[in-house]
Amino acid sequence: MQPGNSQATGSGTSGQTKVLKSVCRSCHGGCGALLHVRDGELIKVEGDPDSPLNHGRLCPIGTVTRDLVYHPDRLKYPLRRIGPRGSGKWERISWDQALDQISAKLLAIRAEFGAEAIALGTGTGRHHIRWVSRFGHALGTPNWCEPGFAQCFHPRVNTSILTFGDFPVCDFTGEVPPKCILYWGHNPINSGPDGETRFNVWEALAHNPRIIVVDPRETELAKRAEVWLQLRPGTDDALGLAMLNVIIGEKLYDEPFVRQWTHGFDALAECVARYTPEWAEPITWVPADKIRAAARLFAQTKPAMLEWGCAIEHTPNCIQTIRALSMLPALTGNVDVPGGWVFGMKGLGRFPSLIEKLSPEANAKRLGADRFKLLGGEGADLPACHIPTLLDAMLTGKPYPVKAFLVFGNNTLTTYANTSHVYEALNKLDFMVCADLFMTPTAELADIVLPAASWPELNQLAGLPTVAANVVLAQQQAVRIGECKADEEIFVELARRMKLDSCTESVEEVLDAQLASGSVGLTFAQLKEKGFHQIPFTYRKYEAAGFRTPTGKIELYSTRFEQMGYAPLPYYEEPPESPISTPEVAADYPLVLTTGQRIPYFFNSEHRQLARLRKARPEPLVEIHPETAAQYGIANGDWMWVETRRGRMKQKAKLTEGIDRRVIAAEHGWWFPDEPAPDYGVWRSNANLLTDNQPPYDPAMGTYQLRALLCRVAKADGR
Ligand SMILES: Nc1nc2c(c(=O)[nH]1)N[C@H]1C(S)=C(S)[C@@H](COP(=O)(O)OP(=O)(O)OC[C@H]3O[C@@H](n4cnc5c(=O)[nH]c(N)nc54)[C@H](O)[C@@H]3O)O[C@H]1N2
Ligand SMILES: Nc1nc2c(c(=O)[nH]1)N[C@H]1C(S)=C(S)[C@@H](COP(=O)(O)OP(=O)(O)OC[C@H]3O[C@@H](n4cnc5c(=O)[nH]c(N)nc54)[C@H](O)[C@@H]3O)O[C@H]1N2
Ligand code: SF4
Ligand SMILES: [Mo]
């Protein structure tokens, strides 16, 4: 820890402790936090007891925030690479030098190849995520991306907006607790729901709801569940369609609601008639009678909510899976009701994304947007480019060259699928910049590395649940480490230096403008004092205004999908690599692989530096059934190879009866910051050495395959 390196904002006199209200952003965020500052140092971080989102609690990651802020390996000043790419040789430079060099290089690339030759990358749900596209739009490039975008949350958001006219979230903070929760491909005990806090989930569980879990692994929630559907990874859509078949076939739906508020029920009924539980059983490996039991329990217990996770978004049929699953609450009338799915109050206001700065020609150049309209085109809420198409453009110069990549908070080599392909593409770039808290194997490939401020070091707004924004919170700067800058500040300074005609206002001006366009009625300075603002909630908003879809109803039959050339009704498609679709591959790679079940101590590839967290999970774990392990001579705790057609990696075997004999589950995000630069062991235990970023993709979203692949295993000699 280096106390001399930090300085508190405000005027606390020596010895006096100042307590600032903020919001933790070490995951997707949301927990209210109290930052205790004395003599310019962050001395304590605790949960805010007043926050309706966590009632004073913090998870293991939030608890060690001080260790993160003051970690000796934090990047503290800008660096310029002095050896060849990947040589690990760096020199310290000033911010002026860094910004001048970046500015000159980007202007030169823009002049020679066009703005679209500059791409921007970021990470999931970051405080600055909207600023990445804002800066891109000001610069004139439509190409920004995030490895979760086609794979995480946004498929649910965009599909829901087209189906319901809005994005539904679970009503965790209302008066009425849910009586039934269906957890689908989601384990919020470990992860926290996307855009809501895990503590709200725990509070709902305290009311003893009836629980249904759809998961190939026996999680803590699966152990508590009344019905656990242990499906084959990647077959969620088949299971969802079979549940719809039961709900419609046995007339378990809410008939008056369906009649008045849905569009296309008869077409859906006809569509799912063939998807019987008996049809689904051999595909999903779930017995037909269990599928019936789950469908009946969900339909007959009210209020019920669907808590869905990213597992359903890690397959190339993700959009139709989401469409099918979203019809479970819709048909059972669990929409915008207390204790069910609700639409939020949108308190946060409109973020000035500067998308209007992109000309129609520039917009049309967004890589992949012509094919994947829910990702980058007319069906997208926040249009982004398609990562595999971007990587191809870096590699081949087609459809046009991409020369520069600016990465603000992503460890590309660990979280993009198919690491070897990604590595090859990044090595083709003319210019790469990484802003991060720490040096990473990805940042080692950059030309310039910038030190980013961590969450207690910066000002921002957060709206929880994400998209719904019923609670608006201020994140506020308590300290600053070294020469770190908030990503937002870096964008403003770069825009000014490049003499762009927008994105040059100060961060606080933008925060105020955003608040002014919402319903909170406070400036950022006022909200900081208050900490958070909760918007009074109303249910059944559709009764006054209808649903914001072309038909004014929930579109079981989607007119917008039809218009864009996508299937208006859900259908099942077998994963592209599976025992059924590629038996010839299965002959060599007989096991089904899923990756990425969340670890409570780390956020994706982060936090391996933090000793107190790493002690809880020193090494990566891969789950395997004891009988399968025995077949390959693998014992609990052995290092074990997992190999696919793309490559191999090793993790430590965790033998468990809670997984099917035919399934392997590997953790994602692994690298070893304690090992030598420039690789930091990223080629050893990284699940994305196994995953696939090649076609087929989801036809509407461009999603690739992370969770239903074929693999083989073998005992490894050691680490
Ligand atoms: N502590 C912590 N919290 C996190 C994260 C983290 O890394 N660490 N990551 C954040 C991110 S980016 C996200 S998207 C969320 C994700 O959080 P969740 O949505 O909860 O997702 P996971 O834990 O990845 O997976 C949930 C479950 O899906 C199961 N699963 C695997 N394959 C399949 C399948 O094919 N079908 C079904 N139905 N289930 C399957 C896994 O066994 C796992 O138990 O968590 C966020 N929160
Ligand atoms: N195999 C497999 N791959 C997956 C998944 C899976 O389940 N399986 N999950 C996918 C999903 S759902 C997602 S969302 C993505 C997640 O992918 P990302 O969200 O991109 O996560 P990371 O690659 O871990 O990148 C986070 C980086 O940001 C840095 N960082 C943290 N805070 C800040 C900050 O304030 N500013 C800056 N500049 N940097 C910061 C961290 O140090 C870290 O290096 O991964 C995807 N990849
Ligand atoms: S759940 Fe997320 S927001 Fe809450 S304390 Fe943990 S890391 Fe922070
Ligand atoms: Mo994610």
Side-chain angles (χ1 to χ4, degrees), residues 215-410:
D215 198 308
R217 295 166 50 248
E218 190 181 25
T219 59
E220 285 307 307
L221 281 170
K223 284 186 190 139
R224 278 183 69 159
E226 196 167 322
V227 185
W228 168 35
L229 305 177
Q230 187 181 18
L231 86 172
R232 171 164 66 99
T235 62
D236 299 87
D237 196 15
L239 189 60
L241 290 165
M243 284 177 70
L244 291 174
N245 172 288
V246 175
I247 289 172
I248 294 176
E250 297 186 8
K251 297 203 176 355
L252 302 176
Y253 52 91
D254 181 335
E255 207 273 330
F257 180 82
V258 165
R259 191 166 7 97
Q260 195 177 353
W261 291 113
T262 66
H263 170 76
F265 176 77
D266 291 341
L268 176 70
E270 198 189 319
C271 158
V272 300
R274 67 181 181 283
Y275 297 125
T276 61
E278 283 68 25
W279 164 83
E281 178 171 323
I283 296 173
T284 59
W285 301 344
V286 180
D289 57 350
K290 272 204 166 180
I291 301 177
R292 286 205 169 81
R296 289 174 188 152
L297 178 58
F298 184 78
Q300 291 172 331
T301 320
K302 288 187 183 173
M305 49 172 65
L306 168 65
E307 254 300 352
W308 48 4
C310 70
I312 56 169
E313 293 167 318
H314 288 176
T315 72
N317 198 25
C318 91
I319 294 298
Q320 293 302 339
T321 306
I322 293 165
R323 285 263 302 145
L325 301 196
S326 73
M327 292 175 194
L328 296 168
L331 290 181
T332 52
N334 281 299
V335 176
D336 221 14
V337 293
W341 258 10
V342 289
F343 300 119
M345 302 306 291
K346 308 271 188 311
L348 194 51
R350 203 187 70 82
F351 179 78
S353 72
L354 301 178
I355 185 100
E356 68 282 0
K357 291 276 164 193
L358 284 185
S359 64
E361 296 74 41
N363 247 314
K365 285 185 179 155
R366 187 174 296 108
L367 289 164
D370 50 341
R371 283 179 294 160
F372 310 120
K373 293 176 191 157
L374 263 64
L375 173 67
E378 59 183 285
D381 188 37
L382 309 173
C385 78
H386 184 234
I387 286 176
T389 311
L390 173 71
L391 296 172
D392 281 345
M394 291 174 184
L395 270 168
T396 66
K398 290 188 182 126
Y400 53 75
V402 169
K403 296 287 179 186
F405 194 33
L406 316 180
V407 186
F408 282 79
N410 160 252

Side-chain angles (χ1 to χ4, degrees), residues 28 124 152 598:
H28 292 130
T124 182
C152 168
R598 268 39 181 175

